[in-house]
Amino acid sequence: MTPETDVLIVGAGPAGLAAAIELKRQGVANVTVVEREPEVGGIPRFCAHTGFGLQDLHRLLSGPSYARYYAAQAKAVGVDLHTATTITGWEGERSLAYTSPDGIGTLTAKAILLATGVRERPRPARLIPGTRPHGVFTTGALQRFVYERHLPVGKKAVIVGAEAVSLSAVMTLREAGLEVVALLTEHPHHQLYFPYSLGKFWLLDLIRRTPILTSTRLRRIMGTRRVEAVEVLHTADGRTETIPCDTVVFTGDWIPENEIARSGGLIIDRHTLGPQVDGGHRTSRKGIFAAGNLLRGAESAATSALEGRAAAREIVRFLTDGRWPDVRLPIAVEAPIAWVYPNTLTAFDIASPRRTFDFRVQTFVEGATVQIRQGTKHLYSRTFRHLGPNETMHLDGRWLAQVALDGEPPVLSVEA
Amino acid sequence: MTQEIYDVAIIGAGVVGTAIARELSRYQLSTVLLEANPDVGQGTTKANTAIWHTGYDAKNGTLEARLLRRSRALMEKFVPEAGVPVEMLGGVLVAWTEEQRDRLPALRERAFKNGVTDVRILSPEEVYEMEPNLQEGAWGGLYVPGESIICPFTLPLAFATQAVLNGVELKVNFPVRNVHLEEKEGTTVVESEDESVRCRYLINAAGLYSDEIDGMLGHHDFTVTPRRGELIVFDKFARSLINHVILPVPTPLTKGVLISPTVYGNVLLGPTAENLDDKTNTATSEAGLQTLLEKGRAILPALLEEEVTATYAGLRAATEHSDYQIRLHADQRYVCVGGIRSTGVSSCMGIAEYVRELLEQAGVTMVPKPTFKPVKMPYIGEAGQRPYRNPAMIAENPDYGRVICHCEKVTLGEILDAIHSPVPARTLDGIRRRTRVMQGRCQGFNCRATIVDILARETGQDPKFLLAQDDKARAGVNPHPQSSRGEGAK
């Protein structure tokens, strides 16, 4: 591997590959992508169902086809791809150490893009008590069992979560021949919003046939060697229910894979747990960019890929003029807002009032007026008929011109 | 068919049983080590606080205090030689009330009497100098430089491996159902459901079940009450919050809830202490975990900001007695090693030596073997150089550069070594404890399917059996593994 390159990208998922392709198209000579897995493509490799590519490639593909398309494109435009290569730490301002079957070494670049993706919070991180038998999965682990390794899973499954990725788990379990006995969500409604219109009818049918237990919490896992049942608490009336099953799948509750970002001293946003970035994907460290679901868990592959492309254009600009913002103003959020992204403002953003901002909420809110204040100054408000968890909403950036970059952090909240 | 008569049979391959097996393997004896579980170190040994105690707070004059002290000297030699991960961090015992502070001189006195003479009382300022992230309000502390952290998985494996290398036979999946003496022959028969072994001398190191084995020989000297301890393991990002093992002032019932780094670079919070009836109940509880979080917040508030990596519970073999229950019944050619409470990891080598002396008393002649093969375990701690950072190992075998578990940076080479070692991993948990795979922050999101695949392929086991979906599926060992280099070839 050449120890010096123009741009080093960590992670060959949708964001990393789309960025690499765009960088080559924009004329960057040397683009190196390192991927810790034996193959490039990221999480879509294991999602052997449809629903990929509509927004970024303008066609509907299965996950593996989508991953293969990006991998082939990257190879075709001359991206330097290295699989089975694990980043093990920082060696300098823009240098990273790696381990691969060929040995260990250091990679130095003029700019680095972190696109390390996201993982689901596993059972221990959710503090679910009980025994620790076989048969407990995350969606990611499940899909690798079924689609990558063709391993047996079980017979009857309970799914924790009722959002988009939970549906992906339902489809995977059906494929593996399991019966889905229940989807559990702590919220009073499921959060199965439809990101793609094609296939909507069969998805609707699937949801109709799947028992969803709302306002519930998984209280305990039971079983000695293998899961035998779960105990579910109905939070509305305090009733508990024991549901026999041999498989439990924890879905969603994403957490960015922020190890490299954090160990490099990048400022981490308290709410997204990803590195803080401005609208141009610039982190708090000069020359280090971040894109994709590392920024916040988790959006669709297409969103990540489009972000990768956008980040690539900002990287090209940086390679050309070397400019980096010296003032960064974080954006704060107040409950029920879960997070906002981008979550810092720089002079680059103020100059680009066409920026948009994404946010999510923790609970269902009807008729919510979302507002932005800076100190006592009201900058913006917009009313939404309906806000719900696990659904990303958007704000435009018309308020940016009024922000004082040397002032207090602007606060995003819901008007009482 | 004449059955082999072993000189010694040891029931229980926890840290105590394996240490005894290793000790006996130095001598010209035939020894068999019987374990109910599919692997060594699967009982109390694997689910504890992973602390190598000095025994500073042991009750003066007890067998426990004596063996802890003797074990210290033996382990200080063995642990580094065998490559057992260890970090000599030292402990800071923190007094959170005036009353606790007033007890510090008595604790120091007790430590001195136990031969732990390097302890020192700390002022509140000194406590915060050593541990700046602690919650405010400490009244003072006691510094115990010898308190260390150790890998409780590698330690029994190192003992068992050295024992096996020196001729001990290890039989796993051998739950003892019956023991009876053959007076005329001077032998003892130990039976599982479908197998039996015959021996001249029997050692009971059955941990939680040591009272039941004792009962099979007609003794009722003690009853084991399982004392559950729940623990929470925090993300490696918490490691920089503390520099020492943070200990509470101990009470007669328990050493209390401590916060300690682990040799893998995590931070551990626990244990709770709760007496149970069920010797298999290693479930965690809502109340237990909540209690720990509250105590953790009261000691080290920043800890709670970090992600939880794992939760688990272990059972200590507590009895109605405050000391170890180690007895020689010479007429039965039997040694009972019971009631090792919560200090087995620290006292195991002292116990092993003591048991060997008891066997000599009972008439066993100990003739040293001309050679005693050494053992060197794969290093899985953070303090030393792991294979993924070792260019020479990777150059020799590229599998040491092929990272399979991304969170813990475990390579294919290490996984294959664990499967093909003298005490081989045959279960997912066995690979986990030998290598750290699936033990990190994603808990197998990325690597679990790959690990199942490798283990099934290398050992010829049915994945359905490995995943406990089918008890009757094939659990056999593949005598001809197709390839030990298969993973990289695709």
Side-chain angles (χ1 to χ4, degrees):
Chain A
M1 202 178 318
T2 331
E4 285 182 20
T5 184
D6 292 324
V7 182
L8 171 61
I9 299 175
V10 185
L17 289 179
I21 293 162
E22 183 67 20
L23 284 164
K24 289 300 284 188
R25 286 192 177 140
Q26 300 259 345
V28 176
N30 299 302
V31 179
T32 305
V33 180
V34 292
E35 167 57 49
R36 61 189 191 176
E37 287 283 307
E39 280 171 53
V40 301
I43 297 225
R45 284 196 297 143
F46 311 114
C47 303
H49 51 72
T50 189
F52 290 83
L54 212 53
Q55 292 100 317
D56 52 337
L57 304 176
H58 311 293
R59 68 188 86 170
L60 194 61
L61 298 169
S62 75
S65 309
Y66 178 85
R68 277 194 298 272
Y69 176 88
Y70 269 105
Q73 282 288 304
K75 277 180 201 135
V77 297
V79 173
D80 191 19
L81 290 171
H82 295 274
T83 54
T85 303
T86 299
I87 296 299
T88 57
W90 292 84
E91 293 285 320
E93 271 302 297
R94 286 191 280 282
S95 295
L96 289 164
Y98 69 88
T99 292
S100 81
D102 299 328
I104 66 179
T106 302
L107 288 165
T108 303
K110 293 173 185 149
I112 292 176
L113 174 67
L114 299 178
T116 48
V118 76
R119 68 175 186 270
E120 287 163 292
R121 259 197 193 87
R123 179 230 176 145
R126 302 180 186 220
L127 290 173
I128 307 292
T131 55
R132 293 173 298 288
H134 285 289
V136 179
F137 295 85
T138 48
T139 316
L142 173 78
Q143 291 182 333
R144 281 171 180 251
F145 262 65
V146 175
Y147 296 129
E148 186 189 28
R149 299 278 165 181
H150 308 289
L151 290 166
V153 176
K155 293 191 178 76
K156 280 172 89 165
V158 165
I159 294 177
V160 181
E163 52 162 306
V165 65
S166 319
L167 261 196
S168 183
V170 170
M171 289 186 260
T172 308
L173 290 167
R174 300 238 158 153
E175 169 89 18
L178 277 85
E179 178 195 352
V180 176
V181 286
L183 264 66
L184 309 178
T185 175
E186 59 187 312
H187 299 293
H189 316 285
H190 70 67
Q191 310 103 55
L192 300 165
Y193 319 106
F194 304 105
Y196 21 85
S197 55
L198 288 173
K200 188 170 171 178
F201 291 110
W202 70 270
L203 272 177
L204 274 174
D205 186 51
L206 185 61
I207 293 162
R208 194 178 51 75
R209 287 185 286 123
T210 304
I212 300 174
L213 301 181
T214 54
S215 301
T216 54
R217 184 158 66 79
L218 178 59
R219 207 171 181 192
R220 193 152 67 100
I221 291 177
M222 293 175 276
T224 47
R225 287 192 64 214
R226 181 75 197 183
V227 175
E228 287 159 28
V230 293
E231 188 180 286
V232 173
L233 173 74
H234 292 263
T235 50
D237 54 11
R239 180 166 55 91
T240 61
E241 177 182 2
T242 300
I243 305 176
C245 59
D246 65 2
T247 303
V248 183
V249 186
F250 288 92
T251 66
D253 200 357
W254 300 98
I255 173 162
E257 287 278 24
N258 61 17
E259 184 178 358
I260 298 169
R262 214 177 145 181
S263 65
L266 271 59
I267 297 173
I268 302 294
D269 184 80
R270 281 181 55 227
H271 304 283
T272 60
L273 299 181
Q276 274 188 0
V277 287
D278 71 358
H281 298 269
R282 296 172 198 84
T283 70
S284 58
R285 195 161 142 179
K286 188 176 178 183
I288 314 295
F289 294 79
N293 282 333
L294 164 64
L295 296 175
R296 93 279 85 175
E299 300 292 350
S300 69
T303 305
S304 290
L306 292 173
E307 276 172 11
R309 265 186 226 166
R313 290 190 285 270
E314 301 289 344
I315 291 169
V316 171
R317 194 204 291 198
F318 172 71
L319 292 178
T320 312
D321 64 17
R323 284 175 59 222
W324 199 260
D326 41 2
V327 179
R328 300 173 64 85
L329 182 66
I331 309 175
V333 301
E334 280 176 7
I337 307 277
W339 50 253
V340 63
Y341 156 83
N343 35 37
T344 45
L345 298 176
T346 63
F348 290 75
D349 295 303
I350 308 294
S352 318
R354 289 175 65 192
R355 290 253 189 272
T356 60
F357 292 80
D358 296 347
F359 72 95
R360 284 194 186 188
V361 291
Q362 298 155 338
T363 51
F364 284 97
V365 194
E366 301 302 322
T369 301
V370 173
Q371 60 169 357
I372 301 171
R373 287 174 282 120
Q374 186 175 30
T376 52
K377 191 173 168 191
H378 178 269
L379 302 184
Y380 180 88
S381 59
R382 186 180 155 194
T383 302
F384 293 83
R385 233 172 56 204
H386 170 90
L387 294 174
N390 296 313
E391 184 178 26
T392 303
M393 307 305 276
H394 312 282
L395 294 173
D396 61 58
R398 275 175 296 180
W399 50 281
L400 282 170
Q402 303 170 61
V403 172
L405 261 187
D406 54 355
E408 291 173 47
V411 180
L412 181 65
S413 62
V414 173
E415 234 170 74
Chain B
M1 200 177 84
T2 53
Q3 195 186 15
E4 182 185 356
I5 300 174
Y6 295 95
D7 291 319
V8 183
I10 304 162
I11 301 173
V15 75
V16 172
T18 55
I20 296 169
R22 174 195 168 273
E23 174 69 17
L24 297 183
S25 73
R26 307 156 80 88
Y27 302 94
Q28 293 182 21
L29 298 168
S30 62
T31 303
V32 65
L33 177 58
L34 306 173
E35 171 54 50
N37 289 303
D39 202 357
V40 306
Q42 276 208 290
T44 302
T45 299
K46 77 165 179 180
N48 52 57
T49 53
I51 299 206
W52 179 8
H53 291 292
T54 53
Y56 78 97
D57 63 333
K59 199 172 161 194
N60 295 141
T62 55
L63 182 61
E64 182 181 24
R66 195 182 102 203
L67 295 182
L68 275 166
R69 192 174 171 191
R70 177 61 186 145
S71 197
R72 185 89 196 171
L74 295 168
M75 283 173 72
E76 273 172 2
K77 184 164 182 295
F78 176 80
V79 162
E81 277 176 9
V84 178
V86 64
E87 286 182 47
M88 312 296 269
L89 293 178
V92 173
L93 184 137
V94 186
W96 293 104
T97 63
E98 190 174 8
E99 186 261 330
Q100 286 181 353
R101 189 209 44 200
D102 293 346
R103 279 167 55 200
L104 295 178
L107 275 169
R108 183 182 57 180
E109 186 66 16
R110 179 183 275 199
F112 271 69
K113 283 190 183 156
N114 282 329
V116 185
T117 54
D118 55 357
V119 300
R120 186 162 64 81
I121 288 180
L122 302 171
S123 68
E125 293 73 30
E126 287 175 301
V127 169
Y128 288 107
E129 205 170 289
M130 293 170 87
E131 294 296 344
N133 294 313
L134 285 187
Q135 177 69 279
E136 288 171 27
W139 283 74
L142 189 71
Y143 178 44
V144 192
E147 294 284 289
S148 307
I149 57 173
I150 193 164
C151 174
F153 307 144
T154 306
L155 187 63
L157 279 166
F159 292 145
T161 303
Q162 194 169 21
V164 166
L165 289 175
N166 287 286
V168 170
E169 190 174 336
L170 169 66
K171 283 180 184 284
V172 293
N173 298 314
F174 194 108
V176 173
R177 293 286 174 258
N178 192 23
V179 175
H180 61 91
L181 300 171
E182 297 175 316
E183 301 291 349
K184 260 185 268 169
E185 294 85 351
T187 52
T188 304
V189 179
V190 184
E191 294 171 349
S192 73
E193 265 144 22
D194 48 10
E195 220 181 327
S196 70
V197 299
R198 196 169 254 111
C199 63
R200 293 198 174 82
Y201 291 85
L202 178 67
I203 296 164
N204 167 10
L208 288 165
Y209 300 91
S210 52
D211 57 341
E212 293 171 36
I213 302 289
D214 213 35
M216 292 178 195
L217 286 129
H219 306 289
H220 303 282
D221 297 334
F222 62 95
T223 306
V224 174
T225 304
R227 183 173 295 158
R228 178 165 65 181
E230 298 183 44
L231 295 111
I232 299 178
V233 181
F234 285 87
D235 193 278
K236 289 176 202 297
F237 280 115
R239 177 63 185 85
S240 59
L241 294 173
I242 49 172
N243 305 309
H244 302 84
V245 179
I246 311 296
L247 298 156
V249 176
T251 70
L253 181 71
T254 168
K255 288 182 185 296
V257 172
L258 54 83
I259 299 179
S260 172
T262 70
V263 292
Y264 325 111
N266 297 87
V267 172
L268 188 147
L269 167 67
T272 56
E274 180 190 2
N275 287 342
L276 302 176
D277 302 324
D278 181 357
K279 289 179 179 174
T280 63
N281 186 357
T282 54
T284 54
S285 68
E286 204 169 341
L289 297 177
Q290 285 311 316
T291 305
L292 285 180
L293 292 181
E294 277 162 37
K295 296 218 172 182
R297 190 175 287 118
I299 301 168
L300 188 68
L303 183 63
L304 280 286
E305 304 281 310
E306 300 297 340
E307 290 287 317
V308 168
T309 294
T311 62
Y312 62 96
L315 299 172
R316 321 177 190 59
T319 71
E320 64 273 43
H321 306 285
S322 59
D323 200 359
Y324 291 171
Q325 300 295 301
I326 305 181
R327 280 190 194 87
L328 166 69
H329 300 277
D331 56 324
Q332 292 183 315
R333 305 171 314 281
Y334 163 62
V335 183
C336 174
V337 189
I340 311 300
R341 309 201 309 153
S342 62
T343 43
V345 164
S346 309
S347 64
C348 54
M349 289 188 81
I351 295 174
E353 190 186 70
Y354 181 57
V355 168
R356 192 250 298 154
E357 289 164 6
L358 291 176
L359 284 176
E360 283 176 299
Q361 271 182 41
V364 180
T365 319
M366 298 284 172
V367 182
K369 285 177 184 162
T371 54
F372 181 53
K373 289 179 192 151
V375 65
K376 193 76 184 177
M377 300 302 288
Y379 192 84
I380 61 169
E382 284 299 294
Q385 192 183 38
R386 305 224 357 253
Y388 80 91
R389 288 195 189 277
N390 188 328
M393 281 180 84
I394 300 170
E396 198 171 302
N397 178 357
D399 283 349
Y400 290 118
R402 202 173 290 280
V403 177
I404 301 289
C405 168
H406 302 305
C407 300
E408 297 297 306
K409 311 276 190 294
V410 184
T411 64
L412 177 62
E414 294 166 275
I415 294 167
L416 294 175
D417 287 349
I419 297 173
H420 300 291
S421 63
V423 180
R426 283 292 171 268
T427 59
L428 288 177
D429 193 48
I431 296 197
R432 181 180 67 80
R433 283 184 289 117
R434 281 167 181 78
T435 65
R436 289 169 48 177
V437 291
M438 304 180 284
Q439 201 170 301
R441 47 173 72 100
C442 91
Q443 293 279 299
F445 175 98
N446 288 302
C447 73
R448 182 148 52 122
T450 308
I451 305 291
V452 173
D453 211 31
I454 295 172
L455 183 61
R457 191 182 60 217
E458 293 288 324
T459 63
Q461 297 184 87
D462 189 327
K464 281 200 163 159
F465 179 80
L466 289 174
L467 299 165
Q469 286 174 49
D470 187 350
D471 287 336
K472 290 180 220 65
R474 193 156 51 99
V477 173
N478 183 357
H480 307 292
Q482 289 169 348
S483 155
S484 57
R485 300 277 172 269
E487 187 59 22
K490 62 178 186 179

